Amino acid sequence: MNQPLPRSKAEKLSQMVVRYRFVLALVGVIAAAISFPLARQVDFDRSIRAMFAADDPTLIGYRELEDSFGGNEVVMLVYEDAEFETTAGLERNEALSNQIANLPGVAGVLSPAVLNRAVEKLRPGSLFSKSVALFKSSDPVAKGFMNLFSGYTHSADRKRAAVVAMLERDHTRQTIDSLKSIAAELDDQPDDAIGDVALVGEPVLVHDGFELIQRDGKRLEITTIVLLSIVLLIALGDMRLVTLAAISIAWSVTITKAIMFTAGIELSLVATILTAIVTVITVTAILHLGVRFQTSIRRGKSRPAALAKTFARLSVPIFWTCMTDAAGFAALAVSGILPVAQFGIMTAIASIAVFVSLALFAPTLLMIPNIGKPAANPIVTRVNHFLHRTGLVVASWSVHHRTAVIGVTIVCVIFVVLGMGRAEVETSFLNNFRPDSEIVIDYGHVESNFGGAGVWDIVMDTPKDLSEEYLESVRRLEDDLRGIEIDGAKLTKVISLADADSVAMKVRILKLVSPSTRLSGMSATMPVFFAALLSDSADGEPGKLRIMLRSEEHLDAERKTALIDEVRRVVASSEVGKAARVTGYYVMMARLVGQMIVDQWRCFAASGVLVWGLLIVATRSLRLATLALLPNLLPVFLVLAVVGLTGGKINMGAAMIAAVSIGLSIDGSVHFLSAFQRLRRRGHSSIDSAIHAAGNIGAAVVLATIALVVGFGAMTTSQFVPTATFGNLIAATLAIGTIVNLTLLPCLVGAGHVAEIASPLDQSAHA
């Protein structure tokens, strides 16, 4: 399709599509029937590991932690207990600890009850005492354990207790669901001594994030489809188009998922909005089809003739708009975050599938007599005429007042320069949830009473024999870590077996034995805690020692990143930590969101290059392609500048809009350029062609923008903040993009003579 088709061939091709419409529909049905069983088999990977490429250094460090310690993910069940330091309080904690320890997926627990058993073994005489061994302030061992595990198993004020669950490596979502059920049951107990029950931990954050996104995904599917169907029905009054949208959406999603399954790609965190994205793209294309089809009907053409005319005029522009949509999403494939890259590939496939679905099903459906309102509904006609006239007036004013338009553009550019550098990065995964959500409230309780709720780790090699000198070096490193402070941000807890060994040494007889002997005794006393912090050497590899860190989850991006970097520096400069890795959920979450922010400009650049290349192919004009692309960059920068100047933060949702919005907002430009080149080939001047091209596409572009804004605006109801941000900012960007396409673009394109160059967009020029 490199050369423009003569009019007769264009019409013949369109007529063939109409003639063989049933064959095309049958092909579509067969493809759906083959794809449906495959689409149902696509898995949903909920693990944190699925968010990183296999060779990502962050994942490699995390896998080392997993390989060395097996179950390393930590979940804390925290509750207020007015009777904490009594026998009743300890018995309650004992029962709760046993209940949690017996859950599938839980490797073991650490709690006051476990500590009490350890003290009893270290102090056999305490078994015959009436008071609880752990709470004897006169006993240096009991006091040492209480101080050491303060912030883990109990709060510093001893008004709150906790059960720390060490999860197995391959625990399932049912493990978290069971823990949440236990927390709910505890909270519902009539006992007045119990209150403020909270379940926290990065595994809970990820679990709740996936649950929320899956729930929102289902809700967004329904909301988007219903709202956009209403837009179609009100704007065009044609039930056939609504039916076409429903079939096209279902077919495109099914085909896309089947291709994903065949390629071995799993659904991930951001994949749940696939249907909403497909709905928006589909309805936008159908609005262009519908407006052109109804125009032909109003001019007295029969349905077959109107359909052939519509296909001859719009098939190529719609193809290129779907391709630019695909290019915008495909640009996300350069992201270093695996789910984002896979999401980009998936939505790119879906964008192309939308075009194929329309080609397969639109001929058959539009040949069916309309049900309900007639196609030439007078209200719809008046709306279309109004939008057409408005497009002409706005474009005419813009072209004839070029200086004012360019002046406003320059002001916008200055605004962008001032605002872009002020946007802060949101690295707290917790802030991806709304402030009134249960998980945020729970984290607030824990951060206020237990110190930081962010859990991370240091993994270091150990010598064959754990000497006193080595353990002392570890304790010195821990002291250095406790002394780190970055603008008020610090580690709220640093703990390892070296600290537990210090407590064990308070037993006089244990001072006389070697550290290895003491640690062996601790292994028997607290096996789960011991296994979580020290692994034996295997296959010639050194053993591993784990230092568990805690810090505040509610830290801004700059301080969180600086804190992680400073911990790395202190560890690397120590005598025992030169080959150590700083890893864990806290680090991975910070890296995940931070990488997305870095990737946004790579993806943005890739999207711009891809879309620009497609425009050059479509228009056969470097000048037109450049003039179309540059104005469509402005809305993205404007929206991000507003975020910066209003004190907003760039989260995971905002990080994806730059690349995606170019592909979506360029749709109007593609249809404008198609109409512009068609008019130029008919001999009109550049100025007249620009004005009338804007008028010709005005109705379809405005209606399509309304559909886009409604569709993406529906995402703002999501309880997962990045999804809401993504929808909100995309909607704003596309609204601004429409204004640009009807003002700045005609102004730029209409300036000067544009050579008449045949292009793929001209293939429908004579139709």
Side-chain angles (χ1 to χ4, degrees):
M1 297 179 69
N2 291 329
Q3 298 298 326
L5 293 173
R7 178 176 180 179
S8 59
K9 288 187 178 181
E11 288 184 342
K12 284 181 179 179
L13 183 61
S14 299
Q15 289 168 359
M16 286 180 62
V17 169
V18 175
R19 185 179 303 121
Y20 294 105
R21 60 187 181 276
F22 295 115
V23 176
L24 293 173
L26 180 61
V27 170
V29 171
I30 293 173
I34 295 172
S35 301
F36 183 73
L38 300 176
R40 296 189 64 182
Q41 297 181 58
V42 179
D43 292 327
F44 194 92
D45 195 331
R46 303 165 62 93
S47 69
I48 185 69
R49 297 181 294 275
M51 297 185 182
F52 296 87
D55 59 349
D56 191 293
T58 307
L59 181 60
I60 292 173
Y62 185 73
R63 287 196 181 280
E64 182 179 343
L65 179 67
E66 286 187 318
D67 293 340
S68 300
F69 299 101
N72 63 79
E73 299 175 7
V74 175
V75 174
M76 295 175 62
L77 176 58
V78 177
Y79 59 96
E80 184 179 10
D81 191 342
E83 301 173 346
F84 171 63
E85 295 186 281
T86 67
T87 302
L90 193 64
E91 288 176 350
R92 186 159 37 237
N93 187 263
E94 177 86 38
L96 190 60
S97 299
N98 292 336
Q99 185 181 8
I100 292 175
N102 290 326
L103 290 177
V106 175
V109 299
L110 182 65
S111 66
V114 173
L115 296 181
N116 185 65
R117 290 197 297 269
V119 173
E120 289 177 342
K121 289 181 180 179
L122 291 171
R123 296 293 206 186
S126 63
L127 292 171
F128 305 100
S129 174
K130 293 182 180 180
S131 58
V132 178
L134 182 63
F135 302 137
K136 289 183 177 179
S137 57
S138 59
D139 187 337
V141 174
K143 186 177 179 180
F145 272 123
M146 287 297 288
N147 292 335
L148 177 61
F149 291 100
S150 176
Y152 268 103
T153 61
H154 56 279
S155 59
D157 61 8
R158 302 189 182 186
K159 293 181 179 179
R160 288 171 173 80
V163 177
V164 181
M166 310 280 188
L167 304 185
E168 293 177 353
R169 180 173 184 170
D170 297 320
H171 70 273
T172 64
R173 57 185 294 190
Q174 282 71 32
T175 302
I176 305 297
D177 288 334
S178 298
L179 286 168
K180 292 176 79 70
S181 297
I182 291 174
E185 291 172 3
L186 182 64
D187 198 31
D188 290 339
Q189 285 185 4
D191 194 335
D192 293 336
I194 302 297
D196 288 341
V197 179
L199 184 71
V200 299
E202 273 78 2
V204 180
L205 276 181
V206 174
H207 172 277
D208 285 7
F210 274 98
E211 288 290 316
L212 206 52
I213 289 178
Q214 281 187 288
R215 188 189 70 188
D216 285 346
K218 296 293 184 183
R219 182 184 299 170
L220 285 172
E221 286 180 17
I222 298 172
T223 303
T224 308
I225 291 172
V226 170
L227 287 177
L228 293 183
S229 296
I230 293 173
V231 169
L232 271 178
L233 202 55
I234 293 176
L236 301 177
D238 195 331
M239 281 300 299
R240 293 170 300 183
L241 296 174
V242 176
T243 305
L244 175 60
I247 292 174
S248 180
I249 292 165
W251 191 89
S252 300
V253 171
T254 300
I255 295 297
T256 301
K257 287 185 176 181
I259 293 174
M260 289 171 61
F261 174 77
T262 304
I265 300 175
E266 296 178 315
L267 289 174
S268 59
L269 188 68
V270 293
T272 50
I273 60 174
L274 172 64
T275 302
I277 297 290
V278 169
T279 301
V280 169
I281 296 172
T282 302
V283 172
T284 303
I286 289 176
L287 278 166
H288 284 283
L289 275 177
V291 169
R292 174 58 58 184
F293 179 69
Q294 290 188 350
T295 299
S296 296
I297 291 291
R298 285 197 301 272
R299 291 176 178 174
K301 292 185 179 295
S302 64
R303 280 199 305 274
L307 186 58
K309 182 78 171 178
T310 299
F311 276 15
R313 180 66 61 85
L314 289 183
S315 58
V316 174
I318 288 179
F319 168 78
W320 287 110
T321 57
C322 288
M323 289 300 294
T324 55
D325 290 342
F329 285 110
L332 296 175
V334 304
S335 172
I337 303 301
L338 191 58
V340 175
Q342 291 178 342
F343 173 73
I345 295 170
M346 176 181 63
T347 44
I349 293 170
S351 300
I352 298 171
V354 167
F355 175 78
V356 176
S357 68
L358 294 178
L360 293 174
F361 297 107
T364 298
L365 287 173
L366 290 180
M367 285 296 292
I368 299 173
N370 191 24
I371 301 174
K373 295 182 179 180
N377 184 278
I379 297 178
V380 173
T381 302
R382 285 197 295 270
V383 169
N384 286 334
H385 284 167
F386 171 77
L387 293 176
H388 174 76
R389 290 194 304 270
T390 302
L392 285 173
V393 171
V394 171
S396 179
W397 186 92
S398 301
V399 169
H400 291 100
H401 295 82
R402 187 174 297 110
T403 302
V405 174
I406 298 299
V408 171
T409 303
I410 292 173
V411 171
C412 291
V413 171
I414 294 173
F415 179 82
V416 166
V417 172
L418 293 175
M420 283 294 293
R422 299 192 180 186
E424 296 182 3
V425 178
E426 178 60 80
T427 61
S428 173
F429 194 79
L430 182 62
N431 288 339
N432 289 325
F433 301 87
R434 296 191 183 275
D436 58 349
S437 64
E438 181 181 352
I439 187 69
V440 174
I441 294 172
D442 285 352
Y443 260 85
H445 286 312
V446 174
E447 296 237 322
S448 298
N449 300 290
F450 276 72
V455 179
W456 40 316
D457 307 274
I458 299 169
V459 180
M460 60 178 63
D461 295 341
T462 62
K464 186 175 182 180
D465 295 318
L466 296 180
S467 64
E468 195 70 62
E469 291 75 14
Y470 174 78
L471 293 177
E472 185 58 36
S473 297
V474 172
R475 286 190 282 267
R476 283 197 296 270
L477 171 59
E478 292 183 65
D479 288 338
D480 292 339
L481 292 171
R482 295 184 184 105
I484 293 175
E485 184 168 349
I486 307 292
D487 294 331
K490 57 185 179 180
L491 298 172
T492 58
K493 196 71 180 177
V494 180
I495 187 173
S496 74
L497 274 183
D499 301 301
D501 182 65
S502 294
V503 175
M505 288 176 64
K506 296 181 183 299
V507 180
R508 292 179 182 177
I509 192 172
L510 294 182
K511 286 184 179 180
L512 305 176
V513 301
S514 66
S516 297
T517 303
R518 287 196 299 270
L519 292 176
S520 296
M522 194 175 301
S523 174
T525 305
M526 293 188 293
V528 174
F529 178 68
F530 183 89
L533 294 182
L534 184 67
S535 68
D536 295 329
S537 58
D539 299 327
E541 293 293 325
K544 302 290 183 181
L545 178 73
R546 178 183 185 184
I547 301 177
M548 298 180 70
L549 310 177
R550 288 264 297 284
S551 58
E552 294 180 56
E553 184 67 38
H554 283 292
L555 286 179
D556 58 70
E558 186 176 351
R559 289 192 298 164
K560 178 178 286 188
T561 303
L563 181 62
I564 293 172
D565 290 342
E566 182 62 14
V567 168
R568 287 194 174 114
R569 187 196 67 78
V570 170
V571 171
S573 62
S574 69
E575 55 188 309
V576 292
K578 291 181 173 57
R581 288 187 183 273
V582 179
T583 184
Y585 261 35
Y586 190 81
V587 176
M588 293 185 76
M589 289 299 183
R591 161 81 168 79
L592 177 69
V593 183
Q595 181 65 42
M596 290 189 69
I597 306 304
V598 173
D599 284 348
Q600 72 170 326
W601 300 118
R602 291 169 51 197
C603 296
F604 179 70
S607 176
V609 171
L610 286 173
V611 170
W612 187 52
L614 287 173
L615 287 174
I616 292 174
V617 174
T619 63
R620 295 291 181 82
S621 170
L622 179 64
R623 180 178 183 271
L624 282 180
T626 304
L627 290 178
L629 177 65
L630 291 179
N632 282 281
L633 302 180
L634 184 60
V636 180
F637 290 121
L638 275 175
V639 169
L640 293 178
V642 169
V643 172
L645 289 174
T646 56
K649 292 187 176 182
I650 303 295
N651 60 24
M652 291 191 296
M656 291 196 299
I657 72 156
V660 172
S661 61
I662 294 178
L664 293 173
S665 66
I666 206 76
D667 287 7
S669 301
V670 172
H671 285 278
F672 170 84
L673 293 177
S674 175
F676 174 82
Q677 290 190 312
R678 183 169 60 250
L679 292 168
R680 285 289 290 140
R681 288 183 61 81
R682 291 177 179 175
H684 297 285
S685 68
S686 294
I687 290 178
D688 288 342
S689 296
I691 293 172
H692 286 283
N696 289 342
I697 68 163
V701 167
V702 171
L703 291 174
T705 300
I706 292 172
L708 287 166
V709 171
V710 170
F712 283 106
M715 296 182 184
T716 61
T717 62
S718 173
Q719 290 297 306
F720 193 63
V721 175
T723 301
T725 301
F726 179 77
N728 196 11
L729 297 186
I730 284 284
T733 302
L734 295 177
I736 298 172
T738 296
I739 297 173
V740 167
N741 282 323
L742 295 178
T743 56
L744 181 58
L745 184 56
C747 174
L748 295 176
V749 171
H753 177 73
V754 179
E756 296 180 13
I757 303 174
S759 75
L761 288 177
D762 292 328
Q763 292 173 9
S764 58
H766 300 292

